Amino acid sequence: MGAALVVVVLTLAISWSVAPVLSPTDRVLRATAAATVAALWLAATIGHVAALRFDSPVDIDAAAGGGGDSPRVAIANAVLRNTLEQAVLAIPAYLALAWVVEASGAMIPALAALFSVGRTLFWTNYARGATARAFGFALTFYSSLAALVITLMALVGRLM
């Protein structure tokens, strides 16, 4: 998880150095695009669960309330729950960062890219266990958390 934090910090440092000064409208448009990326990950995960639930008679029966999910549907449901949690954190973080931090023009797309890489690693490694999926989880979580912390720091700086 520490490696993911290092990746997030380095990515933010690089994107901060690029830091195009954009209008508030342009920053919010970038945040909207980033939020759309997070929402598309959620939609893809929902679609994956739906496809698996109707892939076999056992899964169809389970979806209709006839028993527990198969292991692959249970894994897909766990990935879905985690993706929902991550999207709920990321979307407002992108929007807040865009609204509050003038130099966030390059950070927002970089954070959305980290979100996507993190989701890909989490999803593809989920079945291999907690250790295998930890980096993907941390990359997704720390990128959103960083956006929130930067926003909070900027807000506190304005109040002082």
Side-chain angles (χ1 to χ4, degrees):
M1 302 234 336
L5 185 57
V6 169
V7 169
V8 169
V9 169
L10 288 175
T11 300
L12 286 171
I14 291 167
S15 62
W16 184 268
S17 69
V18 174
V21 177
L22 302 173
S23 71
T25 301
D26 287 337
R27 292 192 317 266
V28 170
L29 285 173
R30 285 187 181 206
T32 302
T36 302
V37 168
L40 285 171
W41 271 101
L42 184 57
T45 311
I46 291 168
H48 181 65
V49 169
L52 289 177
R53 282 191 175 150
F54 299 103
D55 193 40
S56 72
V58 170
D59 294 325
I60 292 169
D61 287 343
D69 288 328
S70 69
R72 64 193 189 130
V73 173
I75 287 171
N77 277 327
V79 171
L80 172 58
R81 280 189 302 277
N82 186 266
T83 301
L84 175 60
E85 294 164 359
Q86 297 296 336
V88 164
L89 184 63
I91 291 170
Y94 300 150
L95 294 170
L97 184 66
W99 190 253
V100 174
V101 179
E102 291 179 6
S104 63
M107 284 191 286
I108 294 166
L111 292 171
L114 290 175
F115 184 95
S116 290
V117 171
R119 286 293 84 197
T120 300
L121 293 172
F122 183 83
W123 190 340
T124 57
N125 290 310
Y126 190 90
R128 294 179 46 219
T131 302
R133 64 182 175 257
F135 183 78
F137 170 85
L139 200 57
T140 307
F141 176 73
Y142 289 150
S143 63
S144 299
L145 181 62
L148 292 170
V149 169
I150 291 167
T151 301
L152 180 62
M153 290 172 38
L155 287 170
V156 169
R158 286 185 183 181
L159 293 174
M160 300 202 151

